[in-house]
Amino acid sequence: MRFAMEALLADVPAEQVAEARAFYRSRVAGRGPASFEELKEARAKKPAPRATVPPAVEETVEAGGVSVPVRIFLPAEGSPRAVYLGIHGGGFYMGSAAQGDERHRELADALRIAVVGVDYRLAPEHPWPAAPDDCEAAALWLVEEAEARFGTSRLAIGGSSAGATLALATLLRLRDRGVVDRFAGAALRFGTWDLSARTPGGRLIADEYFLQAYAGHVADRTLPDISPLYADLSGLPPALLVVGSEDVLLEDNLTLAGRLSAAGNDVELRVYPASPHGFTGHPTALAATALDGVNSWLCDRISRP
């Protein structure tokens, strides 16, 4: 069976595609830190996230013997009708929950939901399994406490890049615990699904320092908790996969979509034209369209009985 890429592309206005192409032509391509020294410099230079109004409520939650800091947003009006667990990207070695504050504030108000951002521990100071342990703890806290804390037991999860990887790893852990059915859906943006360098996408990023920082101590990186592409993917909530047509990880996202579907899950794949890795964080109309699509998909999932 053969597919033309054009048949997979999301339908977006031609002017948005043209604007995106112009934006990326004028943009200097960056690269991630290649050593711990470069990582420390990059962390120090990263600008502080912009404040939101009202700001996040910061606290530490605990489940399964693991404590993790979180940032909580409540909708400006009305009681939450669901809770979304958001996991930030950054290659497992950069970033913080605060970098998602603007997105999470907007999401809370637009969908009238509570949003919980996870401040998981970063590599290389805290390599795998620290990050998925923290994300699992936050998810279990919601499973146990969401009804009492937010007045709803309806849950959803999502993330971008490394955050998407951690979101899927978290769902796999919850499935194995028998509680994944509490989650109505997973919005996964351009995840890194193979850290073992065995797939086309995995081979393209095989020399990246973030892999060494996060899982360099693990002999077999095909462990599903590290590379979810190799997991038994049955019994998971509905998933939305968002990726750009120019993403280095496009092929692996296509593969994951196929494997999720073959395992009997409800999965939707949206490939956006002229878009590289991380595109939903860029200041283009196409990125805004993609995020609006994620919002609509989440709204539909949490509204279903």
Side-chain angles (χ1 to χ4, degrees):
M1 184 178 296
R2 299 178 63 188
F3 294 97
M5 177 55 67
E6 290 76 12
L8 298 176
L9 294 178
D11 185 16
V12 295
E15 59 269 22
Q16 291 188 7
V17 178
E19 180 212 23
R21 292 192 190 281
F23 172 77
Y24 292 117
R25 280 197 300 268
S26 66
R27 179 173 175 263
V28 177
R31 67 171 182 84
S35 67
F36 186 51
E37 289 70 27
E38 289 189 10
L39 175 61
K40 289 188 290 185
E41 290 179 11
R43 287 174 176 173
K45 292 177 180 178
K46 194 172 182 64
R50 286 187 288 187
T52 61
V53 179
V57 174
E58 301 179 55
E59 63 180 83
T60 298
V61 302
E62 187 275 333
V66 177
S67 297
V68 57
V70 297
R71 300 175 68 83
I72 300 173
F73 291 90
L74 297 176
E77 298 181 1
S79 300
R81 58 197 188 104
V83 187
Y84 174 79
L85 183 63
I87 307 177
H88 70 84
F92 309 98
Y93 65 176
M94 285 188 70
S96 67
Q99 77 184 40
D101 278 4
E102 286 187 285
R103 164 69 177 158
H104 290 168
R105 175 77 268 159
E106 293 169 358
L107 194 61
D109 293 342
L111 272 63
R112 212 191 81 206
I113 61 175
V115 179
V116 178
V118 189
D119 239 339
Y120 58 86
R121 288 169 289 172
L122 300 177
E125 297 92 334
H126 304 283
W128 178 86
D133 284 351
D134 289 352
C135 295
E136 180 188 24
L140 287 173
W141 175 73
L142 285 177
V143 168
E144 297 165 1
E145 302 293 338
E147 182 70 48
R149 178 64 184 271
F150 302 107
T152 176
S153 60
R154 192 76 164 167
L155 305 176
I157 192 172
S160 60
S161 195
T165 312
L166 292 169
L168 184 51
T170 298
L171 290 175
L172 292 168
R173 289 185 175 203
L174 296 179
R175 181 202 59 194
D176 294 344
R177 286 179 175 270
V179 294
V180 77
D181 60 338
R182 293 286 299 277
F183 284 78
L188 308 174
R189 289 177 279 151
F190 36 84
T192 307
W193 307 121
D194 170 48
L195 277 66
S196 73
R198 297 192 180 188
T199 64
R203 286 191 290 273
L204 289 173
I205 61 172
D207 296 328
E208 295 286 342
Y209 170 65
F210 81 87
L211 295 176
Q212 183 64 30
Y214 179 60
H217 61 296
V218 182
D220 181 9
R221 295 185 203 171
T222 64
L223 289 173
D225 203 49
I226 297 174
S227 298
L229 196 58
Y230 300 98
D232 168 9
L233 296 172
S234 61
L236 294 175
L240 170 66
L241 270 61
V242 172
V243 66
S245 65
E246 307 303 317
D247 196 320
V248 68
L249 301 176
L250 172 63
E251 289 177 290
D252 281 5
N253 276 265
L254 298 178
T255 301
L256 181 69
R259 291 211 61 232
L260 283 167
S261 180
N265 302 293
D266 178 354
V267 58
E268 182 173 346
L269 171 69
R270 298 179 185 174
V271 182
Y272 285 84
S275 300
H277 192 73
F279 78 98
T280 57
H282 301 154
T284 66
L286 192 150
T289 293
L291 288 176
D292 285 344
V294 173
N295 291 2
S296 296
W297 186 88
L298 283 169
C299 184
D300 178 65
R301 294 310 317 174
I302 64 178
S303 298
R304 295 187 184 187

